Amino acid sequence: MRDESNNLNYKQFAVGLYCKGFELIDPEKDDFSIISGCLLLVIGLEKLIKEVLMNYNPLMILEKVSFEDVLDIHLDKNTLNKRSVSLEIAFERLTKLFPELEFEKHVVKTLVKHRNFLAHSAGIFNLETVEGNVRVNVTAITEVICEKCLKDDPYELFGRDVWKEMLRYKEAYEEAEILELNKRISFLKRIYSEGKKLPCAPVTLSKYDEGCHSYDCPICNSVGIIEVDVDVDIDHREGIVLDAWPYPTSFYCEECGFSLTDSDEIETLVGDEELRKILYSGLE
């Protein structure tokens, strides 16, 4: 029976979890291997984020900071075994150090939602959707963290084979998503040119102008509307708003009836930079 103690820092934890996660998330494996892989990748991302915070100040990862914690830092004692914050809070703190990551908050929130469902809930869900979302978004955020926060080469950090596979899937997924949307737009353009009604989901726009932003419709070139909602994090005990982040909920063109109700598809249609301008135009 093994009684040896392991001593891993956050970066070592992250690398090990990413490698094992991508080994398990292979589409040819069974569903529970894929579920396990998804969980390991999201946990690995959390470890990577906390590695960045630790590099700035070990107190940044702690849920509650006491005098003893400060003293431990002063005496150069290890704080790794202390209770740390959640992934969501850790990423929120990371955005204070790197404001350019602010745009990724809604992505992390989605990853947390998937992880919480897989870890704590049961019921009907689409594993293929969860797998694709986790693979792509963990890779995208990891790429930014390595480049801007850690100044590490991900090929060296995770190994060339692992990182190459992560990027390959992300790029293939994004290309397939764009291709699928472009095919649908081409099909709907033809239908519209024939004077037929577009088979798009009906959208009821909010009556509040603050959440509506103009964007040219790809079908008829009229001005359509991107509707934005804001997710608010509230401390109900203190009665204060801790944070707020916007995200697109729908695109609708009143002229031709074209609509999108998937945030990822709206991002694909508009593009990252343009969507960033739209989402934060009213918050600056």
Side-chain angles (χ1 to χ4, degrees), residues 58-244:
L59 296 176
M60 286 187 177
I61 68 166
L62 299 186
E63 195 171 65
K64 294 182 179 180
V65 178
S66 66
F67 173 75
E68 285 73 20
D69 297 324
V70 178
L71 186 60
D72 284 345
I73 298 299
H74 178 70
L75 297 175
D76 202 25
K77 290 186 178 180
N78 196 334
T79 61
L80 291 179
N81 290 337
K82 296 179 181 289
R83 183 176 178 85
S84 63
V85 296
S86 67
L87 167 56
E88 218 165 345
I89 294 175
F91 191 77
E92 165 63 25
R93 294 180 181 183
L94 187 65
T95 63
K96 302 300 182 184
L97 298 172
F98 300 93
E100 59 267 36
L101 294 176
E102 185 85 19
F103 185 63
E104 305 294 346
K105 277 185 178 179
H106 71 288
V107 175
V108 171
K109 192 171 183 66
T110 301
L111 289 172
V112 170
K113 183 182 73 173
H114 289 322
R115 182 202 62 189
N116 288 348
F117 177 85
L118 295 178
H120 308 299
S121 301
I124 299 172
F125 70 103
N126 188 319
L127 181 56
E128 185 178 356
T129 299
V130 173
E131 176 201 348
N133 186 279
V134 169
R135 273 180 179 265
V136 171
N137 289 323
V138 166
T139 302
I141 296 176
T142 300
E143 192 171 21
V144 176
I145 289 175
C146 285
E147 177 189 345
K148 298 185 179 296
C149 310
L150 291 173
K151 306 299 183 183
D152 276 343
D153 183 345
Y155 283 105
E156 293 183 6
L157 183 61
F158 300 105
R160 181 160 295 276
D161 290 343
V162 172
W163 185 247
K164 186 176 180 180
E165 176 64 15
M166 291 172 73
L167 282 182
R168 185 196 67 76
Y169 186 92
K170 170 180 170 287
E171 291 164 0
Y173 185 91
E174 290 174 343
E175 288 172 6
E177 188 177 52
I178 292 170
L179 179 62
E180 198 279 330
L181 181 60
N182 286 340
K183 281 183 176 179
R184 197 182 335 147
I185 287 174
S186 297
F187 171 70
L188 293 175
K189 277 183 176 179
R190 180 171 61 79
I191 288 181
Y192 180 71
S193 68
E194 295 171 356
K196 298 177 182 177
K197 183 180 179 181
L198 299 186
C200 295
V203 172
T204 301
L205 295 174
S206 168
K207 59 184 177 182
Y208 301 106
D209 293 337
E210 293 84 354
C212 296
H213 302 266
S214 299
Y215 189 80
D216 289 348
C217 174
I219 305 299
C220 67
N221 296 321
S222 298
V223 177
I225 297 294
I226 293 177
E227 187 161 45
V228 174
D229 200 356
V230 179
D231 209 338
V232 181
D233 186 10
I234 300 175
D235 186 332
H236 293 284
R237 289 176 298 181
E238 299 294 331
I240 58 174
V241 175
L242 300 175
D243 197 11

Side-chain angles (χ1 to χ4, degrees), residues 8-24 36-37 39-45 47-48 156-159 162 166:
L8 298 175
N9 61 34
Y10 279 108
K11 183 184 285 189
Q12 291 168 330
F13 248 126
V15 171
L17 291 169
Y18 274 51
C19 292
K20 181 56 69 174
F22 266 90
E23 179 184 319
L24 290 171
S36 300
L39 287 169
L40 291 180
L41 287 175
V42 180
I43 295 171
L45 176 63
K47 302 286 188 185
L48 197 66
E156 293 183 6
L157 183 61
F158 300 105
V162 172
M166 291 172 73

